[in-house]
Amino acid sequence: MASEQKVAAITGAANGIGWALAQQFAAAGYAVCAIDLDLDTARARAKELSGDHDGFACDVSDADQVAKAFAAIDKRFGRLDVLVNNAGIVGSQEASIHQDMEYFDRITKVIVNGTFLCSRAAYHPMAAQRKGAIVNVGSIAGLVGLPRRNAYGAAKAGVHSLTRALASEWAAQGIRVNAVAPGFIATSMVQGLVERGLVDEGRLSRRIPMGRLGTPDEVAEAILFLASDSARYITGSVLSVDGGWAA
Ligand code: NAI
């Protein structure tokens, strides 16, 4: 018999926003399935949390790996209440005229295909329970135009669109699908852009109405709300968590 404890699968859980999510979902009483390309770190992270959690290896863009990871989750925990599609890559940030098309395709595969494949894998246990919540991590880059975020922006706009499509399709099965659209959040992803001179942190902070970058915890808290029963009448929404940038 499946346990009473709720189970949350979080992709890209080894770092940044995903790690903040793993900690917050564990603190809220969920068993956390930390899914990542980097299995060693995902497992180590799961061990750092107190309680019954586990790490799972998966490249979310690969249909076979996604199927295997979700089968392993089902075997291990026997239920699935929440999926957060958080895994993502920011891309090479080339000037669009020089953008490498292999990288363009890779970004689309990880962000759009990855979100779709994991959502479909989560559908089966959630539909069987007639209840589930999926929260996708979109981006401000999918809402407003940002230079050089060609593939990334298009892919994140795709995630927002998938959110709405699946929300309207799966409401009948009791599955809610929402997204957050974070602005600039202090993780290694943004740090990498700063180090490569592609982003100036001071200029960035001045552009943000609230005057600073966000933290992974601030994004995780919004996701925890959308996944919870407090958001039981909310589906198909894209919630900006950006200090007012897109306002
Ligand atoms: P991060 O780079 O710190 O962590 C991303 C994690 O995803 C890593 O653990 C990585 O191993 C994993 N990952 C990458 N590709 C994967 C794949 N194919 N399959 C499985 N795991 C994979 O990134 P960060 O900043 O925590 O970003 C998390 C999400 O938030 C991403 O979707 C990103 O696009 C989005 N986001 C981040 C913003 C920011 O300012 N940091 C702003 C808006 C959105």
Side-chain angles (χ1 to χ4, degrees):
M1 210 179 86
S3 133
E4 295 287 298
Q5 189 183 20
K6 288 189 174 177
V7 176
I10 298 162
T11 69
N15 291 290
I17 295 168
W19 173 227
L21 282 164
Q23 293 173 89
Q24 288 199 19
F25 274 89
Y30 289 81
V32 169
C33 306
I35 300 173
D36 208 283
L37 272 180
D38 176 356
L39 178 61
D40 290 344
T41 309
R43 280 205 174 128
R45 297 294 209 192
K47 272 208 184 102
E48 268 183 64
L49 304 168
S50 64
D52 190 20
H53 313 283
D54 214 342
F56 298 84
C58 177
D59 176 345
V60 296
S61 70
D62 182 309
D64 288 341
Q65 290 189 35
V66 169
K68 279 190 190 128
F70 280 80
I73 288 170
D74 187 50
K75 197 169 167 210
R76 172 79 167 77
F77 291 104
R79 62 183 288 167
L80 187 60
D81 300 278
V82 172
L83 164 68
V84 185
N85 283 306
N86 164 75
I89 48 174
V90 74
S92 54
Q93 305 284 316
E94 296 298 327
S96 294
I97 198 77
H98 301 305
Q99 178 67 52
D100 171 58
M101 287 313 290
E102 263 183 43
Y103 219 96
F104 193 101
D105 290 345
R106 178 73 191 145
I107 291 178
T108 311
K109 271 197 91 178
V110 172
I111 294 178
V112 181
N113 299 27
T115 298
F116 188 56
L117 290 169
C118 291
S119 299
R120 278 209 314 202
Y123 171 87
H124 301 288
M126 289 180 177
Q129 292 160 199
R130 302 216 49 84
K131 189 173 179 187
I134 298 174
V135 186
N136 298 324
V137 180
S139 172
I140 193 173
L143 294 175
V144 305
L146 296 174
R148 295 170 182 252
R149 309 296 202 286
N150 44 57
Y152 184 76
K156 289 297 190 180
V159 167
H160 300 164
S161 178
L162 261 181
T163 301
R164 297 185 185 105
L166 297 181
S168 51
E169 191 176 336
W170 292 350
Q173 282 76 32
I175 303 171
R176 295 184 300 104
V177 189
N178 289 292
V180 292
F184 287 87
I185 310 301
T187 68
S188 58
M189 185 181 269
V190 167
Q191 194 51 42
L193 298 178
V194 171
E195 278 161 17
R196 286 158 60 204
L198 292 168
V199 161
D200 178 320
E201 206 173 328
R203 259 181 63 194
L204 202 57
S205 297
R206 285 193 293 280
R207 168 66 184 78
I208 299 168
M210 291 182 76
R212 64 170 177 86
L213 272 65
T215 67
D217 274 330
E218 286 167 335
V219 179
E221 280 172 49
I223 291 171
L224 197 62
F225 162 69
L226 287 172
S228 76
D229 284 345
S230 298
R232 61 193 171 278
Y233 197 56
I234 302 176
T235 196
S237 70
V238 179
L239 178 63
S240 292
V241 186
D242 63 1
W245 182 304

